[in-house]
Amino acid sequence: MGKALIIGCGGVAGVVIHKCCQNSDVFEEIMIASRTKSKCDAIKEKLDGTTPTKIRTAKVDADNLDELCALIDEYKPDIVMNIALPYQDLTIMDACLKCGVNYMDTANYEPEDTDDPEWRAIYEKRCKEEGFTAYFDYSWQWAYKEKFEKAGLTALLGSGFDPGVTQAYCAYAQKHLFDQIDTIDILDCNGGDHGYPFATNFNPEINLREVSAPGSYWENGHWVEIPAMSIKREYDFDQVGHKDMYLLHHEEIESLAKNIPNVKRIRFFMTFGQSYLTHMKCLENVGMLSTTPIEFEGHQIVPIQFLKALLPDPATLGPRTKGKTNIGCIFTGKKDGKEKTAYIYNVCDHEACYREVGSQAISYTTGVPAMIGAMMLMTGKWSKPGVYTVEEFDPDPYMEALNKWGLPWQINDNPVLVD
Ligand code: NDP
């Protein structure tokens, strides 16, 4: 069918590449391009000969528009899959517009330098107007809507698990299960154990920024912000068991609040063990989560980037991680005039993921929907010019593909609700 340019070659990209190679009818050719070319070459060497997909590799700095355009013009892909970091979202979108290619990613834009005065002024205005203080939000990428429409191109934002699959669950619930969705609780439970006292399951810098920030949720038409980790609940997850979970700000709340008509409340909870929280608090207290550069023995270092260099690389957690994830959405609302509830969720086993593609379940649950999102655009099943999140498309082909490609979902019609 076509060619995909995959940018980035970390934990999530490793899964994306394996899954594209399993789906060679759609992904006839892929180019893996990243900052460190040796990582791209290593995965090509592993997969060459095991798949009909033709693999090429390249080095690219995705912060550099000219480099990106030169690569796209030379390779002529049907889609650019941004599996690098949210810092690169806007540059890669610019490159796609300039070269006339569809775009997709797994996380919304945030700046690497949160001290940049120009960005900061816009951020502070947004905090006041919108009422949440997370560094990431959709405004930057939604601003490209008209440009993509005019160019006749599609940008699919946030096709990982959360964001991503969780929004497909919402669109599915809206289309098939409810006349009116009143509340959505997104639950992200990782019951996996990697045996380290402290490690993050995806890029440490992005992960620690997200979980150390104030929490917030959407209620009755506006944001309610709370101190980080100040709302805690316990939940008994199918196939995982009892876990403590904490309310976080999460990007899909922002788009769902716009796209699910008359929804009254949307919250996001993630499970954390006590050891993770104690380590994070301690690192935060001593300044190790700071993104502001400091002078150290004549060098400028960014504390959180230094911490990243010390922590285990999430891409190496696969062989050590045991246990399961359970991620899904609990809905309450009405159908045919009656009150109704549903929990749509997936359970994923870390060790099974490792056996299949050599990675743990967090990378797997992100990488599979990234491949599926790209497949939706390449096959024309999702096709409308503009900039969209997952819930803005027909959920049926995506939900069907989740079952086929490794993330089967189920529905519990009588879930325990979160108070
Ligand atoms: P990693 O840090 O493991 O990988 C990032 C990759 O991007 C690395 O290969 C890195 O290169 C490359 N990269 C970084 N900067 C550049 C650049 N300027 N030019 C070219 N390549 C670059 O991250 P993950 O794989 O864990 O995460 C990937 C993405 O997935 C992130 O955006 C993350 O937020 C998102 N994510 C989304 C989830 C969801 O459910 N929606 C869940 C988990 C993650 P190098 O190898 O040289 O470092």
Side-chain angles (χ1 to χ4, degrees):
M1 174 145 313
K3 289 182 183 180
L5 169 60
I6 300 168
I7 298 183
C9 196
V12 175
V15 178
V16 171
I17 294 160
H18 275 86
K19 289 311 245 191
C20 290
C21 288
Q22 288 176 12
N23 191 0
S24 303
D25 288 346
V26 174
F27 299 90
E28 285 173 327
E29 295 181 36
I30 58 171
M31 159 84 80
I32 313 165
S34 191
R35 185 167 55 187
T36 311
K37 185 169 176 285
S38 56
K39 291 190 191 171
C40 311
D41 291 335
I43 198 160
K44 171 180 158 59
E45 198 176 312
K46 186 174 159 208
L47 287 167
D48 266 346
T50 67
T51 167
T53 301
K54 286 201 188 72
I55 307 172
R56 282 177 58 191
T57 62
K59 177 174 166 55
V60 75
D61 174 4
D63 291 317
N64 183 318
L65 183 62
D66 293 337
E67 269 190 40
L68 282 170
C69 287
L71 183 66
I72 296 171
D73 283 340
E74 189 258 317
Y75 187 59
K76 302 199 177 1
D78 300 293
I79 188 164
V80 175
M81 302 177 69
N82 170 11
I83 318 292
L85 297 177
Y87 308 150
Q88 281 85 47
D89 288 5
L90 303 184
T91 321
I92 301 178
M93 287 176 86
D94 283 329
C96 285
L97 276 172
K98 216 167 165 195
C99 303
V101 193
N102 289 333
Y103 167 91
M104 63 83 52
D105 65 30
T106 65
N108 72 7
Y109 173 70
E110 65 183 273
E112 185 157 12
D113 177 9
T114 53
D115 293 322
D116 171 18
E118 210 178 305
W119 174 84
R120 195 116 207 138
I122 299 169
Y123 162 75
E124 276 162 13
K125 185 164 171 278
R126 187 268 286 164
C127 290
K128 274 201 203 103
E129 283 170 8
E130 297 286 336
F132 67 92
T133 57
Y135 287 148
F136 49 91
D137 73 283
Y138 275 116
S139 64
W140 299 89
Q141 291 178 279
W142 281 340
Y144 282 70
K145 195 170 175 62
E146 218 176 296
K147 287 189 209 160
F148 270 78
E149 275 167 8
K150 279 198 181 131
L153 296 171
T154 307
L156 171 63
L157 307 185
S159 186
F161 205 105
D162 44 341
V165 174
T166 49
Q167 288 139 289
Y169 289 170
C170 293
Y172 181 89
Q174 181 75 62
K175 182 172 176 183
H176 297 289
L177 306 181
F178 290 86
D179 296 326
Q180 165 64 44
I181 295 175
D182 290 331
T183 69
I184 305 170
D185 278 333
I186 303 167
L187 310 189
D188 180 334
C189 163
N190 180 9
D193 182 6
H194 44 57
Y196 286 115
F198 186 71
T200 64
N201 293 297
F202 66 95
N203 183 280
E205 198 178 324
I206 304 295
N207 182 247
L208 289 166
R209 273 191 183 193
E210 174 179 297
V211 302
S212 58
S216 54
Y217 58 98
W218 179 260
E219 192 168 47
N220 298 325
H222 59 87
W223 289 95
V224 181
E225 188 156 271
I226 55 152
M229 305 291 168
S230 61
I231 295 185
K232 173 184 171 186
R233 299 284 185 268
E234 195 195 318
Y235 200 79
D236 185 8
F237 289 92
D238 181 26
Q239 298 184 53
V240 175
H242 287 270
K243 289 277 169 197
D244 289 337
M245 58 184 194
Y246 298 82
L247 189 144
L248 299 185
H249 176 83
H250 223 247
E251 66 200 59
E252 65 266 50
I253 302 177
E254 199 188 351
S255 68
L256 289 168
K258 288 197 194 307
N259 293 322
I260 301 296
N262 304 314
V263 63
K264 294 191 181 72
R265 191 187 68 200
I266 313 172
R267 302 183 296 185
F268 181 97
F269 291 91
M270 191 177 273
T271 62
F272 295 102
Q274 196 48 52
S275 168
Y276 183 99
L277 294 178
T278 308
H279 277 82
M280 192 181 75
K281 196 75 221 159
C282 176
L283 291 166
E284 188 178 19
N285 286 343
V286 298
M288 282 301 284
L289 302 190
S290 169
T291 53
T292 304
I294 59 154
E295 179 92 8
F296 178 71
E297 295 186 347
H299 300 280
Q300 288 274 311
I301 60 167
V302 177
I304 198 167
Q305 286 175 359
F306 179 67
L307 174 64
K308 177 176 183 261
L310 295 175
L311 290 175
D313 178 350
T316 64
L317 297 177
R320 311 172 51 104
T321 311
K322 295 183 176 28
K324 290 178 180 174
T325 62
N326 176 325
I327 317 176
C329 303
I330 300 179
F331 301 96
T332 69
K334 284 168 207 68
K335 179 75 176 169
D336 301 328
K338 290 198 196 107
E339 300 287 332
K340 181 180 167 71
T341 61
Y343 183 38
I344 312 182
Y345 64 102
N346 161 264
V347 174
C348 193
D349 183 312
H350 285 281
E351 289 174 279
C353 296
Y354 186 68
R355 280 194 298 276
E356 186 195 324
V357 297
S359 90
Q360 33 83 353
I362 303 304
S363 299
Y364 190 90
T365 54
T366 311
V368 172
M371 180 280 283
I372 292 173
M375 176 171 71
M376 292 296 114
L377 301 195
M378 285 182 60
T379 55
K381 289 204 166 115
W382 286 1
S383 157
K384 52 183 176 181
V387 175
Y388 299 101
T389 43
V390 169
E391 74 275 21
E392 294 180 271
F393 290 99
D394 178 7
D396 292 351
Y398 194 95
M399 294 290 276
E400 199 185 309
L402 288 169
N403 283 334
K404 178 169 176 194
W405 292 103
L407 294 176
W409 44 276
Q410 46 197 309
I411 302 179
N412 173 355
D413 288 322
N414 189 22
V416 174
L417 302 181
V418 182
D419 64 27

